[in-house]
Every structure is written in structure tokens, then in C-alpha cells.
């Protein structure tokens, strides 16, 4: 189990996350839901252990072990991965090399081809292409999804996975989310869109860096729709009165 215990994070003395507690169990699908600026992506960065996203209070546990001080590389070895909202591009690196970690990932060529086909990319046309600006945002997202299929992480954090893709790709994302859960992994979808959250079991509603509520995704989405989408307050912790 992956767990956040009263995690707080700030930057430039501004509180971004405040006493955030969450639990993520293997095989379940989770959604972290909130409006833009609520702190959702920051939660993903803190879980992943990015260098400038260390909490000043609280801890992160993986199967009961405190990993709060572990660097991102060590968390990756433990099975945690993050799919960025805007995936990076790498000049001079082919998609095939990217997906196989330069040949270090123990997978067959047929598995690589199957992963590409799973996300709707023809391996014969794409594997020798470069992970650079010649790829559209949607193509780059699909490549990232293919990498998750091959890596089979225990915890896959997908930050706004539908950003920059066409509507037809939403079903591909859902297929990948289902695939992760089926092999016993835990997909964590960070999103502000109801369409992305529907295909999850459990949701956390985030408002101004705090967990407003959590429970079955359907219930959380109802609260999101009826509370957050009609709330006019600026999403800034210092002036947020919603949860006082």
C-alpha cells in the first residue's frame, strides 16, 4: 500500500499542500480530482519524490516503509512511475530505445510492438522515429502510455493524461488504466475532467491543497460537480474559506 500521512508542502513560504492523507491499494483505480490550481499535480510530484517537492511535514509510506527521503530514482526502482502532463522530448533517441530504456528493459521485440499497437501506434511506422518535436502532443502521450504498459509499475501516476489528445484517445487511456489494475498495479489519475475520473473506483477531491472529501468516485464527482464547479472563490489556500 502507498500512503500519504498528513503531508504538507510549501514553496516560497506559500502553503501548497496542507495535511494531505491518502491511501492507494494494489489493484484499485484512483482519481485525484480538483479544479486547476488545486494542488493535484503537486501531490503526484511529491509521491514521485521530485527533488524540489519534498514535504516539510508528514511522511510517505510504501508497504509501511518510510520513503519520504528517498530520491526519485529509488522510488522508481520500487515501482512508482509518473506520466507527465507534458511528456519530455529527447533529441536523438528513438522511440524503441526510449521504450526499452536503451535495451536495459528485459522485453521482447514482440512485446514492444504489442504495446505500441495497444495505444494505437503502428510499430513499423513509429519505433524508429525520434522522441522529439516531430511527434505531436497526442503521439507523445501514446508513447508514454506504451512505456507504462512495458514497465508494469506498481503505482502509475497519470497527470492529466487526456491533455492534448483527441477524444478517441480517451478510450485508449481507459484501456491502459484497466490494464494496470488487472495485473495488480495501482493507477492514480490526476484530473479535472469527469470523463477521466469515471473509470476509477475511489476518488479524492482536492481543494486549495487539502482533501475536501474522499470515497467512491461517483460520490466524489457529485461533490465536485455541485460544489467546486459552482464555487467562485480563488483557489488560494490563504483565502479559502470552503473547509473552515
Amino acid at each position: 500500500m502507498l500512503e500519504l500521512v498528513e503531508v504538507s508542502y510549501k514553496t516560497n513560504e506559500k502553503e501548497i499542500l496542507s495535511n494531505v492523507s491518502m491511501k492507494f491499494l494494489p489493484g484499485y483505480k484512483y482519481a485525484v480530482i480538483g479544479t486547476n490550481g488545486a494542488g493535484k499535480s503537486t501531490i503526484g510530484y511529491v509521491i514521485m519524490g521530485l527533488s524540489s517537492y519534498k514535504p516539510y511535514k508528514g511522511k510517505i509510506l510504501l508497504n509501511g516503509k518510510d520513503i519520504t527521503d528517498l530520491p526519485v530514482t529509488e522510488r522508481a526502482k520500487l515501482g512508482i512511475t509518473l506520466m507527465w502532463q507534458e511528456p519530455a522530448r529527447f533529441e536523438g533517441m528513438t522511440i524503441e530505445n526510449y521504450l526499452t530504456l536503451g535495451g536495459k528493459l528485459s522485453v521482447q521485440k514482440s512485446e514492444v510492438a504489442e504495446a505500441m499497437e495497444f495505444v494505437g501506434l503502428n510499430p513499423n511506422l513509429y519505433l524508429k522515429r525520434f522522441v522529439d518535436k516531430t511527434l505531436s502532443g497526442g503521439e507523445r502521450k501514446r508513447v508514454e502510455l506504451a512505456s507504462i504498459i512495458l514497465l508494469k509499475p506498481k503505482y502509475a501516476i497519470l497527470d492529466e493524461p487526456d491533455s492534448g489528445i483527441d477524444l478517441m484517445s480517451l478510450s485508449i487511456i481507459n484501456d491502459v488504466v484497466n490494464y494496470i489494475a488487472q495485473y495488480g498495479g495501482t493507477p492514480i489519475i490526476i484530473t479535472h475532467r469527469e470523463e477521466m475520473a469515471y473509470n476509477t473506483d475511489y476518488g479524492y477531491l482536492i481543494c486549495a491543497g487539502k482533501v475536501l472529501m474522499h470515497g467512491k468516485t461517483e460520490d466524489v464527482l457529485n461533490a465536485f460537480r455541485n460544489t467546486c464547479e459552482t464555487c467562485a472563490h480563488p483557489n488560494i489556500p490563504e483565502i479559502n474559506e470552503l473547509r473552515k
Side-chain angles (χ1 to χ4, degrees):
M1 178 175 69
L2 179 63
E3 185 176 4
L4 277 67
V5 182
E6 297 184 351
V7 166
S8 295
Y9 167 78
K10 61 184 177 181
T11 180
N12 298 324
E13 300 306 315
K14 179 181 177 181
E15 189 95 347
I16 306 300
L17 301 179
S18 180
N19 295 316
V20 171
S21 292
M22 296 176 162
K23 292 181 179 180
F24 303 103
L25 300 172
Y28 287 87
K29 298 176 288 185
Y30 292 88
V32 178
I33 307 161
T35 58
N36 290 329
K40 307 184 302 299
S41 292
T42 300
I43 290 171
Y45 302 159
V46 166
I47 293 174
M48 192 68 241
L50 301 186
S51 58
S52 58
Y53 285 87
K54 183 177 179 179
Y56 73 89
K57 188 176 70 172
K59 53 188 176 181
I60 303 167
L61 304 177
L62 182 61
N63 299 327
K65 178 183 177 182
D66 191 340
I67 65 169
T68 310
D69 295 324
L70 288 185
V72 60
T73 52
E74 293 301 315
R75 298 191 198 198
K77 291 177 182 178
L78 292 173
I80 303 174
T81 192
L82 169 67
M83 175 179 164
W84 298 86
Q85 182 175 347
E86 293 293 336
R89 289 170 166 78
F90 303 94
E91 296 292 334
M93 177 181 287
T94 66
I95 291 175
E96 184 173 21
N97 280 338
Y98 177 79
L99 293 177
T100 62
L101 305 181
K104 295 179 181 179
L105 187 64
S106 182
V107 291
Q108 301 295 322
K109 287 187 176 182
S110 60
E111 294 178 88
V112 177
E114 288 171 4
M116 292 290 283
E117 291 170 350
F118 194 105
V119 298
L121 296 178
N122 186 329
N124 295 324
L125 298 178
Y126 279 91
L127 284 178
K128 298 305 179 184
R129 288 185 62 178
F130 294 103
V131 189
D132 57 18
K133 62 184 180 181
T134 63
L135 294 176
S136 69
E139 289 171 329
R140 187 66 188 86
K141 280 287 182 75
R142 292 184 187 221
V143 170
E144 199 79 356
L145 289 169
S147 73
I148 289 176
I149 292 171
L150 292 169
L151 285 171
K152 292 184 173 63
K154 294 178 182 177
Y155 296 90
I157 307 163
L158 280 63
D159 186 13
E160 301 285 1
D162 58 322
S163 174
I165 65 170
D166 55 75
L167 291 176
M168 290 182 64
S169 298
L170 292 177
S171 63
I172 293 175
I173 296 172
N174 284 330
D175 288 343
V176 173
V177 168
N178 292 337
Y179 174 79
I180 296 168
Q182 286 167 5
Y183 70 68
T186 304
I188 303 170
I189 313 302
I190 295 173
T191 186
H192 67 279
R193 292 184 58 180
E194 293 185 33
E195 303 95 310
M196 279 276 60
Y198 274 124
N199 186 36
T200 60
D201 307 305
Y202 200 90
Y204 287 92
L205 179 57
I206 307 301
C207 177
K210 295 185 179 181
V211 177
L212 184 62
M213 71 169 289
H214 59 93
K216 291 182 178 179
T217 301
E218 183 179 356
D219 296 333
V220 172
L221 283 175
N222 284 335
F224 177 60
R225 186 183 309 112
N226 297 323
T227 303
C228 297
E229 291 187 352
T230 59
C231 178
H233 81 78
N235 214 335
I236 304 172
E238 295 94 313
I239 60 175
N240 172 42
E241 299 293 332
L242 185 58
R243 289 156 287 98
K244 291 184 178 180

